[in-house]
Amino acid sequence: MSQATMTERPAPQPMNGVDVPTLFATIGAVDAQRELAQFRFRATNTWQRGTHSKTSVKSFFGAGGEQEHVREFVIDADHPQVLVGEDNGATPVELVLVALASCLTAGIGNIASARGVELHEVESRLEGEANLEGLLGLSDDVRNGFSKIRVDFSIKGDAPEEKLQAIVEQSKNRSAVFDIITNQVPVEITVNGA
């Protein structure tokens, strides 16, 4: 058997619900045409009443053109009654926790699959600490948002604990939402109409 044959890797196969061959093909296509990496995600929010609003997500720009989700997604957000809302949905800060958990978990699924690790279970619990004195205008010394977020993963798969830990770490390093939360992202706000 030749040295080349001994070191050849088997072709990637789908794993953990991830189409690994398509994942690698996507990475290769973007590497060859870097302009395909440019995306613009969109959301449209409409006030309902009080602190309740609905946000719809339907289309985005990416991979060189306009794209549409297979269906429109609508997310309700509100405040609980203790914060003068009607509890029609999760609070906006809870949706930030949802986004962070979802992004990290998606990364774990992709990275584990790309590394040939079969996952059995991935679960996370997130907590965000907030002091509402800032939000309520009672103190300029207290920030309006979270002062700390904790993420605790429970992960099981057919790999040693160190390898599973490395997968979680790589997911954190490549997570768009982790990056958005931990780095200052410029936000432009304009007002139209009256």
Side-chain angles (χ1 to χ4, degrees), residues 4 29 38 42 46 49 81 93 103 109 122 142 154 166 194:
Q38 300 303 315
R42 304 180 186 112
T46 305
R49 59 176 267 137
Q81 293 172 343
V93 292
C103 191
V122 180
V142 177
S154 172

Side-chain angles (χ1 to χ4, degrees), residues 1-8:
M1 184 178 282
S2 72
Q3 181 68 17
T5 306
M6 289 174 42
T7 59
E8 287 179 13

